[in-house]
């Protein structure tokens, strides 16, 4: 069984304002990192356009329409201080959803052992009715619902190791016991949510990390909180909200992970997927803003996925 990679040139055409950290060069850096003979066996597939109707799995239609209406014919439209739309943003966002949903299809049909999706814009800050934090629609949430509605998954776990808390994913599944959301993130930091006391209906597991901590605290959070929660929940699918901005080089946060930590965490989640979900594991790119840190981390992550 192979590891599949979805990406698409349209992701480079979601433009952000000059100097913005969430920029097309992030995907170029990933592409260069994976353009190496170590990744020869990676099954590279162009991401399909998503089915617009699946956006409604996580967002009400009037919100979806309001995002669509704001897409500018030229230049930029601002949703908030961090989050912008350019003329191709709609198509990029729809293709990010398409890839996430296709990845779910692949692991349920057995076409791939596991899948990494290198897409933009990211998704985990997008709440039910709010686009924010560089995110328009919540790719991971839509993919989780797609697994439930279209593949009969009963329980889906989303593990989010982006250095920012995935307030959007937490918001969407706050009162839904069929989806487990586990997050490690720096606190305090944007967006301000993610305290341990935020537990939803027992389906939210937040493991905040203090600034200037690193590998030891991150791995301890995984061992003591994330992995036991997965064992209790026994998901039919694990989705990773794979941000790489907890890397020590990242300019937006102060957590000091290295690529070895992402390799380790990937292995832990693969073991969990082997125990509970017939190895079904889908990884979706979220943040990661230092181009070298991002490239090294994605290489470590994907190479571990390929060892499945
Ligand atoms: Zn982030």
């Amino acid at each position: 069984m192979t590891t599949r990679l979805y990406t698409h040139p349209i992701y480079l055409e979601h433009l952000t304002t000059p100097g913005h950290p969430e920029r097309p060069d992030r995907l170029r850096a990933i592409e260069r990192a994976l353009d190496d003979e170590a990744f020869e066996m990676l099954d590279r597939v162009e991401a399909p356009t998503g089915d617009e109707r699946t956006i409604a799995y996580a967002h009400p239609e009037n919100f979806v329409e309001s995002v669509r209406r704001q897409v500018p014919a030229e230049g930029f439209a601002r949703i908030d201080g961090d989050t912008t739309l350019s003329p191709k943003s709609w198509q990029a966002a729809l293709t990010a959803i398409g890839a996430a949903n296709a990845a779910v299809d692949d692991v349920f049909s057995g076409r791939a052992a596991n899948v990494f999706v290198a897409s933009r814009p990211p998704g985990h800050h997008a709440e039910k009715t709010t686009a924010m934090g560089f995110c328009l629609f919540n790719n991971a949430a839509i993919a989780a619902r797609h697994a439930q509605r279209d593949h009969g998954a009963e329980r889906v776990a989303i593990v989010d190791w982006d250095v920012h808390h995935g307030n959007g994913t937490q918001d969407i599944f706050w009162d839904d016991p069929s989806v487990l959301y586990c997050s490690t993130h720096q606190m305090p930091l944007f967006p301000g949510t993610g305290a341990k006391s935020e537990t939803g209906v027992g389906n939210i597991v937040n493991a905040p990390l203090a600034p200037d901590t690193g590998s030891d605290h991150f791995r301890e959070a995984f061992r003591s909180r994330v992995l036991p929660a997965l064992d209790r929940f026994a998901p039919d699918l694990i989705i990773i909200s794979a941000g790489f901005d907890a890397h020590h080089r990242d300019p937006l946060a102060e957590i000091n992970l290295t690529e070895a930590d992402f390799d380790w965490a990937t292995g832990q989640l693969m073991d969990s997927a082997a125990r509970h979900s017939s190895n079904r594991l889908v990884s979706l790119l979220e943040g990661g803003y230092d181009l070298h840190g991002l490239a090294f981390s994605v290489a470590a992550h994907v190479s571990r996925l390929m060892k499945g």
Side-chain angles (χ1 to χ4, degrees):
M1 286 272 273
T2 54
T3 295
R4 183 169 273 195
L5 168 71
Y6 282 106
T7 191
H8 196 290
I10 190 72
Y11 299 145
L12 301 175
E13 296 189 53
H14 165 59
L15 305 179
T16 49
T17 44
H20 197 292
E22 204 294 283
R23 58 209 191 277
D25 279 348
R26 299 177 58 232
L27 285 197
R28 295 190 182 100
I30 289 174
E31 203 167 296
R32 276 194 299 278
L34 298 180
D35 182 20
D36 182 286
E37 64 181 24
F39 299 101
E40 217 169 52
M41 298 303 286
L42 201 51
D43 177 25
R44 294 158 200 265
V45 181
E46 189 166 276
T49 300
D51 177 347
E52 284 186 31
R53 288 169 303 182
T54 65
I55 308 176
Y57 289 0
H59 305 280
E61 273 171 40
N62 57 357
F63 165 72
V64 177
E65 279 314 308
S66 88
V67 173
R68 194 210 297 265
R69 271 200 310 275
Q70 291 176 71
V71 174
E74 56 184 48
F76 296 103
R78 242 178 224 290
I79 288 182
D80 63 24
D82 300 322
T83 314
T84 51
L85 296 163
S86 68
K88 297 288 178 65
S89 294
W90 177 265
Q91 191 57 32
L94 199 56
T95 309
I97 292 163
N101 287 342
V104 168
D105 295 339
D106 292 337
V107 296
F108 275 95
S109 70
R111 275 191 296 273
N114 51 46
V115 184
F116 178 63
V117 176
S119 61
R120 302 175 54 250
H124 73 150
H125 294 306
E127 300 183 344
K128 279 180 203 150
T129 59
T130 309
M132 59 178 279
F134 320 159
C135 302
L136 303 178
F137 302 119
N138 198 308
N139 306 316
I142 293 166
R145 287 273 191 252
H146 172 56
Q148 294 183 312
R149 294 174 64 138
D150 304 317
H151 291 284
E154 288 179 13
R155 293 175 308 283
V156 179
I158 300 174
V159 178
D160 184 337
W161 69 45
D162 189 281
V163 82
H164 302 95
H165 181 243
N167 59 296
T169 314
Q170 174 168 299
D171 171 62
I172 290 164
F173 297 115
W174 181 255
D175 55 4
D176 181 350
S178 74
V179 176
L180 173 71
Y181 176 68
C182 301
S183 176
T184 57
H185 47 272
Q186 178 177 322
M187 195 164 198
L189 189 67
F190 178 91
T193 49
K196 262 187 187 173
S197 58
E198 295 163 24
T199 56
V201 288
N203 63 321
I204 307 285
V205 176
N206 285 313
L209 305 169
D212 297 315
T213 57
S215 178
D216 293 351
H217 287 80
F218 172 73
R219 294 188 189 205
E220 172 55 23
F222 249 69
R223 284 194 195 98
S224 67
R225 296 179 58 77
V226 175
L227 299 172
L230 287 170
D231 281 335
R232 285 192 299 274
F233 187 70
D236 302 309
L237 167 69
I238 298 175
I239 295 174
I240 307 176
S241 264
F244 297 96
D245 40 10
H247 191 277
H248 67 93
R249 292 181 57 113
D250 199 274
L252 297 197
E254 293 88 35
I255 299 293
N256 298 310
L257 301 191
T258 68
E259 42 276 27
D261 295 305
F262 294 114
D263 169 278
W264 176 84
T266 306
Q268 296 298 312
L269 296 183
M270 289 169 73
D271 290 347
S272 186
R275 280 197 296 282
H276 302 297
S277 65
S278 307
N279 297 305
R280 289 186 286 265
L281 184 67
V282 163
S283 174
L284 309 177
L285 180 67
E286 299 281 2
Y289 304 102
D290 176 83
L291 298 185
H292 294 289
L294 177 64
F296 298 150
S297 301
V298 168
H301 176 53
V302 173
S303 102
R304 174 55 74 120
L305 288 176
M306 291 173 72
K307 287 177 193 151

